[in-house]
Amino acid sequence: MRIALFYHSLVSDWNHGNAHFLRGVAAELIGRGHEVRVFEPRDGWSLCNLIREQGLGVIDRFREVYPGLQSTFYDPAMFDRADLRDVLDEALEGVDLVVVHEWNPPELVGRVGAHRAGGGRYRLLFHDTHHRSVTAPEEMARYNLTHYDGVLAYGRVIRDLYLSRGWAARAWTWHEAADVRRFHPRKADREGDLVWIGNWGDGERTAELETFLLEPVRALGLSARVYGVRYPEAGRAALADAGIHYGGWLPNYDVPKVFARYRVTVHVPRRPYVRALPGIPTIRPFEALACGIPLVSAPWNDVEGLFTPGKDFLIARNGEEMKRHLWAVLNDASLARALSAHGRATILARHTCGHRVEELLAIDAGLRGLPAKKEVAA
């Protein structure tokens, strides 16, 4: 098939945690022989911030790591052009399937939908990987999905919201997953006890980071490092006070090498996911388990049964449990090995980008045989 993917960015993962999955899906589709074109704005917020902070060399490094992936850059100003339809005609000529990610402006989402209504013969899907459907529904209501075939939602609760609020006639649960072509165990010399990879969180997990990361590291005297972006001065000071080294931005494709240098990692989900979006772990546990590093997680409700808590990873209900679990993993080699093996086996059995591409292709095949207005909650 010929497939077009509209991403905020394929090239940049600066404050763009979805990049891992989006890249993995594109690579998997190409690996199966499909013709894939990725479109992203040339002045995308993530890419501009990455270049401003790291320089143009990061683009060359991305191309070295992902030689089969490339973006077609477009000018967002074209939304104001009268001949936009001609631009989309050229971009989408002969395309069979189009997927538009939610981190795109409503104007683009609407224009692609209008193009489809004007005679486009492709299947058209919207891909939602954020909590705004719950925390900022007025923002998501701005996205006109009238002419879309349906929504790929990375959690059942989000899928149900699209259907119950009438934002889409069809919606499917489509969780993120690990790109095991690149995320797998590596060999490396140890540099420390604990590593955490994640952005500061815009105030959505400040207290949780203190409870489940900073205080346990401080109390146990662990050698620890944190990677991520958008850390305010107060956040960096808190890391230093806990004795944690701050590593700044880390390219997503380098995460496996970093995991290999440490003995354990933690998962600290943002508050909106814990409170309003049960069943959605975000990409971080998939990454850790795929790489075989033992994981201890702050509480989140796995209502969809993606994992087996206690075997794939340990759950800490509070700060004291986090300290006990971390101490156990660091001092019981058999426990660490068991968690590592079970977690990776679960990823390989159920949660790779290959699995998700199979789901996507099944959805597409179903659309080709479904009545146009039939409602589906798969």
Side-chain angles (χ1 to χ4, degrees):
M1 288 197 301
R2 299 186 67 186
I3 301 170
L5 307 172
F6 285 85
Y7 291 169
H8 171 74
S9 186
L10 177 76
V11 176
S12 174
D13 52 44
W14 193 97
N15 202 67
H16 181 17
N18 304 126
H20 171 156
F21 182 58
L22 300 179
R23 292 167 176 172
V25 167
E28 186 70 28
L29 287 167
I30 292 170
R32 293 175 182 228
H34 299 287
E35 181 181 334
V36 177
R37 291 188 70 188
V38 178
F39 297 89
E40 70 173 272
R42 65 165 53 100
D43 62 349
W45 179 83
S46 176
L47 181 59
C48 286
N49 276 284
L50 178 62
I51 293 173
R52 185 179 301 113
E53 180 181 291
Q54 301 292 330
L56 289 171
V58 295
I59 298 179
D60 294 331
R61 177 82 195 286
F62 168 81
R63 290 169 177 163
E64 291 174 3
V65 175
Y66 294 95
L69 297 184
Q70 61 180 350
S71 283
T72 297
F73 290 92
Y74 66 87
D75 181 0
M78 74 181 186
F79 295 142
D80 300 323
R81 290 170 47 182
D83 62 343
L84 177 60
R85 177 162 186 84
D86 294 336
V87 175
L88 289 175
D89 280 345
E90 181 179 351
L92 302 179
E93 181 180 2
V95 168
D96 301 296
L97 174 65
V98 178
V99 180
V100 183
H101 188 245
E102 53 85 17
W103 202 6
N104 276 294
E107 294 82 3
L108 171 68
V109 175
R111 290 298 188 99
V112 175
H115 183 270
R116 160 67 187 278
R121 300 176 62 85
Y122 46 83
R123 279 80 65 194
L124 178 59
L125 297 170
F126 184 70
H127 183 199
D128 191 339
T129 58
H130 202 268
H131 59 65
R132 287 183 299 168
S133 58
V134 172
T135 59
E138 68 285 351
E139 289 187 24
M140 298 313 295
R142 296 174 56 209
Y143 289 82
N144 183 356
L145 305 180
T146 302
H147 304 296
Y148 282 65
D149 289 301
V151 172
L152 303 170
Y154 83 145
R156 186 186 302 159
V157 63
I158 295 178
R159 178 207 67 183
D160 292 347
L161 283 171
Y162 272 91
L163 296 174
S164 64
R165 292 175 177 171
W167 291 344
R170 302 183 185 93
W172 299 267
T173 300
W174 200 47
H175 281 285
E176 291 185 306
D179 177 7
V180 294
R181 295 166 183 259
R182 292 169 179 81
F183 280 71
H184 52 79
R186 310 288 180 93
K187 291 184 178 180
D189 294 333
R190 296 291 188 192
E191 291 185 2
D193 299 315
L194 181 149
V195 64
W196 185 67
I197 300 169
N199 302 327
W200 179 248
D202 301 316
E204 293 178 348
R205 58 179 166 205
T206 305
E208 291 81 356
L209 287 173
E210 173 63 33
T211 299
F212 294 102
L213 176 64
L214 304 184
E215 175 54 24
V217 168
R218 184 188 298 114
L220 296 175
L222 303 182
S223 171
R225 183 176 292 271
V226 163
Y227 291 92
V229 301
R230 303 185 77 189
Y231 278 70
E233 184 176 344
R236 297 189 188 195
L239 293 177
D241 182 67
I244 298 174
H245 298 283
Y246 175 58
W249 172 72
L250 177 70
N252 183 257
Y253 45 75
D254 282 342
V255 166
K257 292 190 294 186
V258 170
F259 276 151
R261 297 170 189 156
Y262 292 83
R263 301 168 64 196
V264 68
T265 189
V266 298
H267 176 49
V268 186
R270 297 176 186 238
R271 203 170 307 122
Y273 289 99
V274 175
R275 294 181 177 178
L277 297 173
I280 300 177
T282 72
I283 195 66
R284 299 306 180 187
F286 295 107
E287 293 180 340
L289 300 184
C291 292
I293 184 171
L295 171 68
V296 183
S297 178
W300 65 278
N301 190 0
D302 186 12
V303 297
E304 299 188 46
L306 299 175
F307 304 107
T308 305
K311 293 186 176 181
D312 291 325
F313 53 82
L314 302 180
I315 289 282
R317 293 170 295 181
N318 51 53
E320 290 305 311
E321 278 200 353
M322 178 61 79
K323 295 173 192 176
R324 290 198 295 270
H325 286 332
L326 289 174
W327 180 257
V329 170
L330 292 170
N331 289 277
D332 185 341
S334 63
L335 172 62
R337 285 195 299 269
L339 290 170
S340 173
H342 203 285
R344 177 157 169 78
T346 295
I347 293 295
L348 294 177
R350 303 169 58 190
H351 302 307
T352 70
C353 288
H355 290 103
R356 299 302 181 260
V357 164
E358 289 287 349
E359 295 166 5
L360 176 63
L361 296 178
I363 289 169
D364 179 71
L367 284 172
R368 281 178 274 163
L370 284 174
K373 295 185 179 181
K374 182 175 181 180
E375 292 192 3
V376 175

